[in-house]
Coordinates of all heavy atoms in Angstrom, one line a residue:
M10 N 11.5 9.8 7.0 CA 10.2 9.7 6.4 C 9.4 8.8 7.3 O 9.8 7.7 7.7 CB 10.4 9.0 5.0 CG 9.2 8.9 4.2 SD 9.4 8.3 2.5 CE 10.4 9.6 1.7
N11 N 8.2 9.2 7.6 CA 7.3 8.4 8.4 C 6.6 7.3 7.6 O 6.7 7.2 6.4 CB 6.3 9.3 9.2 CG 5.3 10.0 8.3 OD1 4.9 9.4 7.3 ND2 4.9 11.1 8.7
I12 N 5.9 6.5 8.3 CA 5.2 5.3 7.7 C 4.2 5.8 6.6 O 4.2 5.3 5.5 CB 4.5 4.4 8.7 CG1 5.5 3.7 9.6 CG2 3.6 3.4 8.0 CD1 4.9 3.0 10.8
E13 N 3.4 6.8 6.9 CA 2.4 7.2 5.9 C 3.1 7.8 4.7 O 2.7 7.4 3.6 CB 1.5 8.3 6.5 CG 0.5 8.8 5.6 CD -0.6 9.6 6.2 OE1 -0.6 9.8 7.5 OE2 -1.4 10.2 5.5
E14 N 4.1 8.6 4.8 CA 4.8 9.1 3.7 C 5.5 8.0 2.8 O 5.4 8.0 1.6 CB 5.9 10.1 4.1 CG 5.4 11.4 4.7 CD 6.5 12.2 5.4 OE1 7.6 11.6 5.7 OE2 6.3 13.4 5.6
K15 N 6.0 7.0 3.5 CA 6.7 5.9 2.8 C 5.6 5.1 2.0 O 5.8 4.7 0.9 CB 7.5 5.0 3.8 CG 8.3 4.0 3.1 CD 9.4 4.7 2.2 CE 10.2 3.7 1.4 NZ 11.1 4.3 0.5
V16 N 4.5 4.7 2.7 CA 3.4 4.0 2.0 C 2.9 4.8 0.8 O 2.8 4.2 -0.3 CB 2.3 3.6 3.0 CG1 1.1 3.0 2.2 CG2 2.8 2.6 4.0
L17 N 2.7 6.1 0.9 CA 2.2 6.9 -0.2 C 3.3 6.9 -1.3 O 2.9 6.8 -2.5 CB 1.9 8.3 0.3 CG 0.7 8.4 1.2 CD1 0.6 9.8 1.7 CD2 -0.6 8.0 0.4
E18 N 4.5 6.9 -1.0 CA 5.6 6.9 -2.0 C 5.5 5.6 -2.8 O 5.7 5.6 -4.0 CB 6.9 7.1 -1.3 CG 8.1 7.0 -2.3 CD 9.4 7.1 -1.6 OE1 9.8 8.2 -1.1 OE2 10.1 6.0 -1.5
I19 N 5.4 4.5 -2.1 CA 5.3 3.2 -2.7 C 4.1 3.1 -3.7 O 4.3 2.7 -4.8 CB 5.3 2.0 -1.7 CG1 6.6 2.0 -0.9 CG2 5.0 0.7 -2.3 CD1 6.6 1.1 0.3
V20 N 3.0 3.6 -3.2 CA 1.8 3.5 -4.0 C 2.0 4.4 -5.3 O 1.6 4.0 -6.4 CB 0.5 4.0 -3.2 CG1 -0.7 4.1 -4.1 CG2 0.2 3.0 -2.1
R21 N 2.5 5.6 -5.1 CA 2.8 6.5 -6.2 C 3.8 5.9 -7.2 O 3.6 6.0 -8.4 CB 3.3 7.8 -5.7 CG 2.3 8.7 -5.1 CD 2.8 10.1 -4.8 NE 1.8 10.8 -4.0 CZ 1.9 11.0 -2.7 NH1 2.9 10.6 -2.0 NH2 1.0 11.7 -2.1
D22 N 4.8 5.2 -6.7 CA 5.7 4.5 -7.6 C 5.0 3.4 -8.4 O 5.2 3.3 -9.6 CB 6.8 3.8 -6.8 CG 7.9 4.7 -6.3 OD1 7.9 5.9 -6.6 OD2 8.7 4.3 -5.4
I23 N 4.1 2.7 -7.8 CA 3.3 1.6 -8.5 C 2.4 2.3 -9.6 O 2.3 1.8 -10.7 CB 2.5 0.8 -7.5 CG1 3.5 -0.1 -6.7 CG2 1.6 -0.1 -8.3 CD1 2.9 -0.8 -5.5
M24 N 1.8 3.4 -9.2 CA 0.9 4.1 -10.1 C 1.7 4.7 -11.3 O 1.3 4.7 -12.4 CB 0.1 5.2 -9.4 CG -0.9 4.7 -8.4 SD -2.0 3.5 -9.0 CE -2.9 4.5 -10.3
L25 N 2.9 5.2 -11.0 CA 3.7 5.8 -12.0 C 4.1 4.7 -13.1 O 4.2 5.1 -14.3 CB 5.0 6.5 -11.4 CG 5.8 7.3 -12.4 CD1 5.0 8.4 -13.0 CD2 7.0 7.9 -11.6
S26 N 4.3 3.5 -12.6 CA 4.6 2.4 -13.6 C 3.5 2.2 -14.6 O 3.7 1.6 -15.6 CB 5.0 1.2 -12.8 OG 3.9 0.6 -12.2
K27 N 2.3 2.6 -14.2 CA 1.1 2.4 -15.1 C 1.0 3.6 -16.1 O 0.2 3.5 -17.0 CB -0.2 2.4 -14.3 CG -0.3 1.2 -13.4 CD -1.6 1.3 -12.6 CE -2.0 -0.1 -12.1 NZ -2.3 -1.1 -13.1
G28 N 1.9 4.6 -15.9 CA 1.9 5.7 -16.9 C 1.6 7.0 -16.1 O 0.9 7.0 -15.1
P29 N 2.1 8.1 -16.7 CA 1.9 9.4 -16.0 C 0.4 9.8 -15.9 O 0.1 10.6 -15.0 CB 2.6 10.4 -16.9 CG 2.8 9.7 -18.2 CD 2.8 8.3 -17.9
D30 N -0.5 9.4 -16.7 CA -1.9 9.7 -16.6 C -2.6 9.0 -15.5 O -3.7 9.4 -15.1 CB -2.6 9.3 -17.9 CG -2.1 10.2 -19.1 OD1 -1.6 11.3 -18.9 OD2 -2.3 9.7 -20.2
S31 N -1.9 8.0 -14.9 CA -2.6 7.3 -13.8 C -2.4 8.0 -12.4 O -2.9 7.5 -11.4 CB -2.0 5.9 -13.7 OG -0.6 5.9 -13.4
L32 N -1.6 9.0 -12.4 CA -1.3 9.6 -11.1 C -2.5 10.5 -10.6 O -3.0 11.3 -11.4 CB -0.1 10.5 -11.2 CG 1.3 9.8 -11.3 CD1 2.4 10.8 -11.4 CD2 1.5 8.9 -10.1
L33 N -3.0 10.2 -9.5 CA -4.1 10.8 -8.9 C -3.7 11.3 -7.5 O -2.7 11.0 -7.0 CB -5.3 9.8 -8.7 CG -5.7 9.0 -9.9 CD1 -6.6 7.9 -9.5 CD2 -6.4 9.9 -10.9
T34 N -4.6 12.1 -6.9 CA -4.4 12.4 -5.5 C -4.7 11.2 -4.7 O -5.7 10.5 -4.8 CB -5.4 13.5 -5.1 OG1 -5.2 14.7 -5.9 CG2 -5.2 13.9 -3.6
I35 N -3.7 10.8 -3.8 CA -3.8 9.6 -3.0 C -3.8 10.0 -1.6 O -2.9 10.8 -1.1 CB -2.6 8.7 -3.3 CG1 -2.6 8.3 -4.8 CG2 -2.7 7.4 -2.5 CD1 -1.3 7.6 -5.3
S36 N -4.7 9.5 -0.8 CA -4.8 9.8 0.6 C -5.0 8.5 1.4 O -5.1 7.4 0.8 CB -5.9 10.8 0.9 OG -7.2 10.2 0.7
R37 N -5.2 8.6 2.7 CA -5.4 7.5 3.6 C -6.7 6.7 3.2 O -6.9 5.6 3.4 CB -5.5 7.9 5.0 CG -4.1 8.3 5.6 CD -4.3 8.7 7.0 NE -4.5 7.6 7.9 CZ -3.5 7.0 8.7 NH1 -2.3 7.5 8.6 NH2 -3.8 6.0 9.4
T38 N -7.7 7.5 2.6 CA -9.0 6.8 2.3 C -9.1 6.3 0.9 O -10.1 5.7 0.5 CB -10.2 7.9 2.5 OG1 -10.0 9.0 1.6 CG2 -10.2 8.3 3.9
T39 N -8.0 6.4 0.1 CA -8.0 6.0 -1.3 C -8.0 4.5 -1.3 O -7.3 3.8 -0.7 CB -6.7 6.5 -2.0 OG1 -6.7 7.9 -1.9 CG2 -6.7 6.1 -3.4
S40 N -9.0 3.9 -2.1 CA -9.1 2.5 -2.3 C -8.2 2.0 -3.4 O -8.1 2.6 -4.5 CB -10.5 2.2 -2.7 OG -10.6 0.9 -3.2
F41 N -7.4 1.0 -3.1 CA -6.5 0.4 -4.1 C -7.2 -0.1 -5.4 O -6.8 0.1 -6.5 CB -5.7 -0.7 -3.5 CG -4.8 -0.3 -2.4 CD1 -4.9 -0.8 -1.1 CD2 -3.7 0.6 -2.6 CE1 -4.1 -0.4 -0.1 CE2 -2.9 1.0 -1.6 CZ -3.1 0.5 -0.3
R42 N -8.2 -0.8 -5.2 CA -8.9 -1.5 -6.3 C -9.9 -0.5 -7.0 O -9.9 -0.4 -8.2 CB -9.7 -2.7 -5.8 CG -8.7 -3.8 -5.3 CD -9.5 -4.9 -4.6 NE -8.6 -5.9 -4.0 CZ -8.0 -5.9 -2.8 NH1 -8.3 -4.8 -2.0 NH2 -7.3 -6.8 -2.4
D43 N -10.8 0.1 -6.2 CA -11.9 0.9 -6.8 C -11.4 2.2 -7.3 O -11.8 2.6 -8.4 CB -13.0 1.1 -5.7 CG -13.7 -0.1 -5.3 OD1 -13.6 -1.1 -6.0 OD2 -14.2 -0.2 -4.2
E44 N -10.5 2.9 -6.6 CA -10.1 4.2 -7.1 C -8.9 4.2 -7.9 O -8.7 5.0 -8.9 CB -10.0 5.2 -5.9 CG -11.3 5.5 -5.2 CD -11.1 6.3 -3.9 OE1 -10.8 7.5 -4.1 OE2 -11.2 5.8 -2.8
L45 N -7.9 3.4 -7.5 CA -6.6 3.4 -8.2 C -6.6 2.3 -9.3 O -5.7 2.3 -10.2 CB -5.5 3.2 -7.2 CG -5.3 4.2 -6.2 CD1 -4.1 3.9 -5.3 CD2 -5.1 5.6 -6.8
G46 N -7.5 1.3 -9.2 CA -7.5 0.3 -10.3 C -6.3 -0.7 -10.2 O -6.0 -1.3 -11.2
L47 N -5.8 -0.9 -9.0 CA -4.7 -1.8 -8.9 C -5.1 -3.2 -9.1 O -6.2 -3.6 -8.6 CB -4.0 -1.7 -7.5 CG -3.3 -0.3 -7.2 CD1 -2.6 -0.4 -5.9 CD2 -2.4 0.2 -8.3
D48 N -4.4 -4.0 -9.8 CA -4.7 -5.4 -10.1 C -3.9 -6.3 -9.1 O -3.1 -5.8 -8.3 CB -4.5 -5.8 -11.5 CG -3.0 -5.6 -12.0 OD1 -2.1 -5.6 -11.2 OD2 -2.8 -5.5 -13.2
S49 N -4.0 -7.6 -9.3 CA -3.4 -8.5 -8.3 C -1.8 -8.4 -8.4 O -1.2 -8.5 -7.4 CB -3.8 -9.9 -8.6 OG -3.5 -10.3 -9.9
F50 N -1.3 -8.1 -9.6 CA 0.2 -7.9 -9.7 C 0.6 -6.7 -9.0 O 1.7 -6.7 -8.3 CB 0.6 -7.9 -11.2 CG 0.3 -9.2 -11.9 CD1 -0.6 -9.2 -12.8 CD2 1.1 -10.3 -11.6 CE1 -0.9 -10.4 -13.5 CE2 0.8 -11.5 -12.2 CZ -0.2 -11.6 -13.2
D51 N -0.1 -5.6 -9.1 CA 0.2 -4.3 -8.4 C 0.1 -4.6 -6.9 O 1.0 -4.1 -6.1 CB -0.8 -3.2 -8.8 CG -0.7 -2.9 -10.2 OD1 0.3 -2.9 -10.9 OD2 -1.8 -2.6 -10.8
L52 N -0.9 -5.2 -6.4 CA -1.0 -5.5 -5.0 C 0.1 -6.4 -4.5 O 0.5 -6.3 -3.3 CB -2.4 -6.1 -4.7 CG -3.6 -5.1 -4.9 CD1 -4.9 -5.8 -4.8 CD2 -3.5 -3.9 -4.0
A53 N 0.5 -7.4 -5.3 CA 1.6 -8.2 -4.9 C 2.9 -7.4 -4.8 O 3.7 -7.6 -3.8 CB 1.8 -9.3 -6.0
E54 N 3.1 -6.5 -5.7 CA 4.3 -5.6 -5.6 C 4.2 -4.8 -4.3 O 5.2 -4.6 -3.6 CB 4.4 -4.7 -6.8 CG 5.6 -3.7 -6.7 CD 5.8 -2.8 -7.9 OE1 5.1 -3.0 -8.9 OE2 6.6 -1.9 -7.8
L55 N 3.0 -4.2 -4.0 CA 2.8 -3.4 -2.8 C 3.1 -4.3 -1.6 O 3.9 -3.9 -0.7 CB 1.4 -2.9 -2.7 CG 1.0 -2.2 -1.5 CD1 1.7 -0.9 -1.3 CD2 -0.5 -2.0 -1.4
T56 N 2.6 -5.5 -1.5 CA 2.8 -6.4 -0.4 C 4.3 -6.7 -0.2 O 4.8 -6.6 0.9 CB 2.1 -7.7 -0.7 OG1 0.7 -7.4 -0.8 CG2 2.3 -8.7 0.5
V57 N 5.0 -7.0 -1.3 CA 6.5 -7.3 -1.2 C 7.2 -6.1 -0.6 O 8.1 -6.3 0.3 CB 7.0 -7.8 -2.5 CG1 8.5 -7.9 -2.5 CG2 6.4 -9.2 -2.9
R58 N 7.0 -5.0 -1.2 CA 7.7 -3.8 -0.7 C 7.4 -3.5 0.7 O 8.3 -3.1 1.5 CB 7.4 -2.6 -1.7 CG 8.0 -2.9 -3.1 CD 7.7 -1.8 -4.0 NE 8.4 -0.5 -3.6 CZ 8.4 0.6 -4.4 NH1 7.7 0.6 -5.5 NH2 9.1 1.6 -4.0
I59 N 6.2 -3.6 1.2 CA 5.8 -3.4 2.6 C 6.5 -4.4 3.5 O 7.1 -4.1 4.5 CB 4.3 -3.4 2.8 CG1 3.6 -2.2 2.0 CG2 3.9 -3.4 4.3 CD1 4.0 -0.8 2.5
E60 N 6.5 -5.7 3.0 CA 7.1 -6.7 3.8 C 8.6 -6.5 4.0 O 9.2 -6.7 5.1 CB 6.9 -8.1 3.2 CG 5.5 -8.6 3.4 CD 5.3 -10.0 2.8 OE1 6.3 -10.7 2.6 OE2 4.2 -10.4 2.6
D61 N 9.3 -6.0 2.9 CA 10.7 -5.8 2.9 C 11.0 -4.7 3.9 O 12.0 -4.7 4.6 CB 11.2 -5.4 1.6 CG 11.3 -6.6 0.6 OD1 11.2 -7.7 1.1 OD2 11.5 -6.3 -0.6
L62 N 10.2 -3.6 4.0 CA 10.5 -2.5 4.8 C 10.0 -2.7 6.3 O 10.7 -2.3 7.2 CB 9.7 -1.2 4.3 CG 10.3 -0.6 3.1 CD1 9.4 0.5 2.6 CD2 11.7 0.0 3.5
Y63 N 8.9 -3.3 6.5 CA 8.3 -3.4 7.8 C 8.0 -4.8 8.4 O 7.5 -4.9 9.5 CB 7.0 -2.6 7.8 CG 7.1 -1.1 7.4 CD1 6.7 -0.7 6.2 CD2 7.8 -0.3 8.3 CE1 6.9 0.6 5.8 CE2 8.0 1.1 7.9 CZ 7.5 1.5 6.7 OH 7.7 2.8 6.3
Q64 N 8.4 -5.8 7.7 CA 8.2 -7.2 8.1 C 6.8 -7.5 8.5 O 6.6 -8.2 9.5 CB 9.2 -7.5 9.3 CG 10.6 -7.6 8.9 CD 11.2 -6.2 8.7 OE1 11.1 -5.3 9.5 NE2 11.9 -6.0 7.5
V65 N 5.8 -7.0 7.7 CA 4.4 -7.4 8.0 C 3.7 -7.7 6.7 O 4.0 -7.0 5.7 CB 3.7 -6.2 8.7 CG1 3.7 -4.9 7.9 CG2 2.3 -6.6 9.1
D66 N 3.0 -8.8 6.7 CA 2.2 -9.2 5.5 C 0.8 -8.5 5.6 O 0.0 -8.8 6.5 CB 2.0 -10.7 5.5 CG 1.2 -11.2 4.3 OD1 0.7 -10.3 3.5 OD2 1.2 -12.4 4.1
I67 N 0.6 -7.5 4.8 CA -0.6 -6.7 4.9 C -1.9 -7.4 4.5 O -3.0 -7.0 4.9 CB -0.5 -5.4 4.1 CG1 -0.2 -5.6 2.6 CG2 0.5 -4.4 4.7 CD1 -0.2 -4.4 1.8
F68 N -1.7 -8.6 3.9 CA -2.9 -9.4 3.5 C -2.9 -10.7 4.2 O -3.6 -11.6 3.8 CB -2.9 -9.6 2.0 CG -3.1 -8.3 1.2 CD1 -2.1 -7.7 0.6 CD2 -4.4 -7.7 1.2 CE1 -2.3 -6.5 -0.2 CE2 -4.6 -6.5 0.5 CZ -3.6 -5.9 -0.2
E69 N -2.2 -10.9 5.3 CA -2.1 -12.2 5.9 C -3.5 -12.6 6.5 O -4.3 -11.8 6.9 CB -1.0 -12.2 7.0 CG -1.5 -11.6 8.3 CD -0.4 -11.8 9.4 OE1 0.5 -12.7 9.3 OE2 -0.4 -10.9 10.3
Q70 N -3.7 -13.9 6.5 CA -4.9 -14.5 7.1 C -6.2 -13.9 6.4 O -7.2 -13.7 7.1 CB -5.0 -14.3 8.6 CG -3.8 -15.0 9.3 CD -3.8 -14.7 10.8 OE1 -4.6 -13.9 11.3 NE2 -3.0 -15.4 11.5
D71 N -6.1 -13.7 5.1 CA -7.2 -13.2 4.3 C -7.8 -11.9 4.8 O -9.0 -11.6 4.6 CB -8.3 -14.3 4.2 CG -7.8 -15.5 3.5 OD1 -7.0 -15.4 2.6 OD2 -8.2 -16.6 3.9
N72 N -7.0 -11.1 5.5 CA -7.5 -9.8 5.9 C -7.7 -8.9 4.7 O -6.9 -8.9 3.8 CB -6.4 -9.1 6.8 CG -6.4 -9.6 8.2 OD1 -7.5 -10.0 8.8 ND2 -5.2 -9.7 8.8
R73 N -8.9 -8.3 4.6 CA -9.2 -7.5 3.5 C -8.7 -6.1 3.8 O -9.2 -5.4 4.6 CB -10.7 -7.5 3.3 CG -11.1 -6.7 2.1 CD -11.9 -7.6 1.1 NE -12.4 -6.8 0.1 CZ -12.0 -6.9 -1.2 NH1 -11.1 -7.8 -1.5 NH2 -12.6 -6.2 -2.1
V74 N -7.7 -5.7 3.0 CA -7.1 -4.3 3.1 C -7.5 -3.6 1.8 O -7.0 -4.0 0.8 CB -5.6 -4.4 3.3 CG1 -5.0 -3.1 3.3 CG2 -5.3 -5.2 4.6
D75 N -8.3 -2.6 1.9 CA -8.7 -1.9 0.7 C -8.2 -0.5 0.5 O -8.2 0.0 -0.6 CB -10.3 -1.8 0.7 CG -10.9 -3.2 0.6 OD1 -10.5 -4.0 -0.3 OD2 -11.9 -3.4 1.3
T76 N -7.7 0.1 1.6 CA -7.3 1.5 1.5 C -5.9 1.7 2.0 O -5.3 0.9 2.7 CB -8.2 2.4 2.4 OG1 -8.0 2.1 3.7 CG2 -9.7 2.3 2.0
V77 N -5.3 2.8 1.6 CA -4.0 3.2 2.1 C -3.9 3.3 3.6 O -3.0 2.8 4.2 CB -3.6 4.6 1.4 CG1 -2.3 5.1 2.0 CG2 -3.5 4.5 -0.1
G78 N -5.0 3.9 4.2 CA -5.0 4.0 5.7 C -5.0 2.6 6.4 O -4.4 2.5 7.4
Q79 N -5.7 1.6 5.8 CA -5.7 0.3 6.4 C -4.3 -0.3 6.4 O -3.9 -1.0 7.3 CB -6.7 -0.6 5.7 CG -8.1 -0.2 6.0 CD -9.1 -1.0 5.1 OE1 -8.9 -1.3 4.0 NE2 -10.3 -1.3 5.7
V80 N -3.5 -0.1 5.3 CA -2.2 -0.6 5.2 C -1.3 0.1 6.3 O -0.6 -0.6 7.0 CB -1.6 -0.3 3.8 CG1 -0.1 -0.6 3.8 CG2 -2.2 -1.2 2.8
I81 N -1.5 1.4 6.4 CA -0.7 2.1 7.5 C -1.0 1.6 8.9 O -0.1 1.4 9.7 CB -1.0 3.7 7.3 CG1 -0.4 4.2 6.0 CG2 -0.4 4.4 8.5 CD1 -0.9 5.5 5.6
E82 N -2.3 1.4 9.1 CA -2.7 0.8 10.4 C -2.1 -0.5 10.7 O -1.7 -0.8 11.8 CB -4.2 0.8 10.5 CG -4.9 2.2 10.6 CD -6.4 2.1 10.5 OE1 -7.0 1.1 10.6 OE2 -6.9 3.2 10.2
R83 N -2.1 -1.4 9.7 CA -1.6 -2.8 9.9 C -0.1 -2.7 10.2 O 0.4 -3.4 11.0 CB -1.8 -3.6 8.6 CG -3.2 -4.0 8.5 CD -3.6 -5.4 8.0 NE -2.7 -6.4 8.1 CZ -2.7 -7.4 9.0 NH1 -3.5 -7.3 10.0 NH2 -1.8 -8.3 9.0
I84 N 0.6 -1.8 9.5 CA 2.1 -1.6 9.8 C 2.3 -1.1 11.2 O 3.1 -1.6 11.9 CB 2.7 -0.6 8.8 CG1 2.7 -1.2 7.3 CG2 4.1 -0.3 9.2 CD1 3.0 -0.2 6.2
Q85 N 1.5 -0.1 11.6 CA 1.6 0.4 12.9 C 1.4 -0.6 14.0 O 2.0 -0.6 15.1 CB 0.7 1.7 13.1 CG 1.2 2.8 12.3 CD 0.2 4.0 12.3 OE1 -1.0 3.8 12.4 NE2 0.7 5.2 12.1
V86 N 0.4 -1.5 13.8 CA 0.1 -2.5 14.8 C 1.0 -3.7 14.7 O 1.4 -4.2 15.8 CB -1.4 -2.9 14.6 CG1 -1.7 -4.1 15.5 CG2 -2.3 -1.8 14.9
H87 N 1.3 -4.2 13.5 CA 2.0 -5.5 13.4 C 3.5 -5.3 12.9 O 4.2 -6.4 12.9 CB 1.2 -6.4 12.5 CG -0.1 -6.7 12.9 ND1 -0.4 -7.5 14.0 CD2 -1.3 -6.2 12.5 CE1 -1.7 -7.5 14.2 NE2 -2.3 -6.8 13.3
G88 N 3.9 -4.2 12.4 CA 5.2 -4.1 11.7 C 6.3 -3.7 12.6 O 6.1 -3.3 13.8
S89 N 7.5 -3.8 12.0 CA 8.7 -3.3 12.6 C 9.6 -2.7 11.6 O 9.5 -3.2 10.4 CB 9.4 -4.4 13.4 OG 9.8 -5.4 12.5
V90 N 10.3 -1.7 11.9 CA 11.2 -1.1 10.9 C 12.5 -2.0 10.8 O 13.1 -2.3 11.8 CB 11.6 0.3 11.4 CG1 12.6 0.9 10.4 CG2 10.4 1.2 11.5
G91 N 12.8 -2.4 9.6 CA 13.9 -3.3 9.4 C 14.9 -2.7 8.4 O 14.8 -1.7 7.8

């Protein structure tokens, strides 16, 4: 499974925990806050899961990460498979 597929799987898992009605089409341009309505707890879960897999803090140094694509890019630039 490549990075994009794994990130999309994690986001879908988080959305599924909100209920089956929360599942939407998710792509690289999907906004976590505006389109998916993720709150700070959801984003914290996303951060922890990404850190566990790729050893990269997607929100480090107050970087504003708003979309699935931005997370994928941060992993590709700063992450490592662990």
Side-chain angles (χ1 to χ4, degrees):
M10 184 176 295
N11 67 33
I12 292 171
E13 182 169 353
E14 290 169 340
K15 190 62 183 171
V16 170
L17 290 172
E18 177 184 287
I19 292 168
V20 173
R21 286 187 189 104
D22 286 350
I23 293 169
M24 293 305 298
L25 188 58
S26 71
K27 294 178 160 296
D30 294 336
S31 66
L32 290 178
L33 307 165
T34 301
I35 302 169
S36 70
R37 289 179 74 101
T38 61
T39 301
S40 167
F41 294 118
R42 294 169 185 88
D43 297 336
E44 293 177 71
L45 299 180
L47 298 186
D48 61 23
S49 59
F50 294 111
D51 299 323
L52 294 172
E54 180 179 349
L55 175 67
T56 300
V57 167
R58 291 179 68 176
I59 296 295
E60 284 182 23
D61 286 348
L62 284 172
Y63 301 107
Q64 291 75 51
V65 62
D66 181 352
I67 57 174
F68 294 105
E69 82 178 333
Q70 298 175 349
D71 297 324
N72 284 322
R73 183 121 172 114
V74 177
D75 292 318
T76 67
V77 173
Q79 289 172 326
V80 168
I81 294 166
E82 289 169 16
R83 290 216 22 98
I84 292 168
Q85 291 171 333
V86 171
H87 301 287
S89 63
V90 178

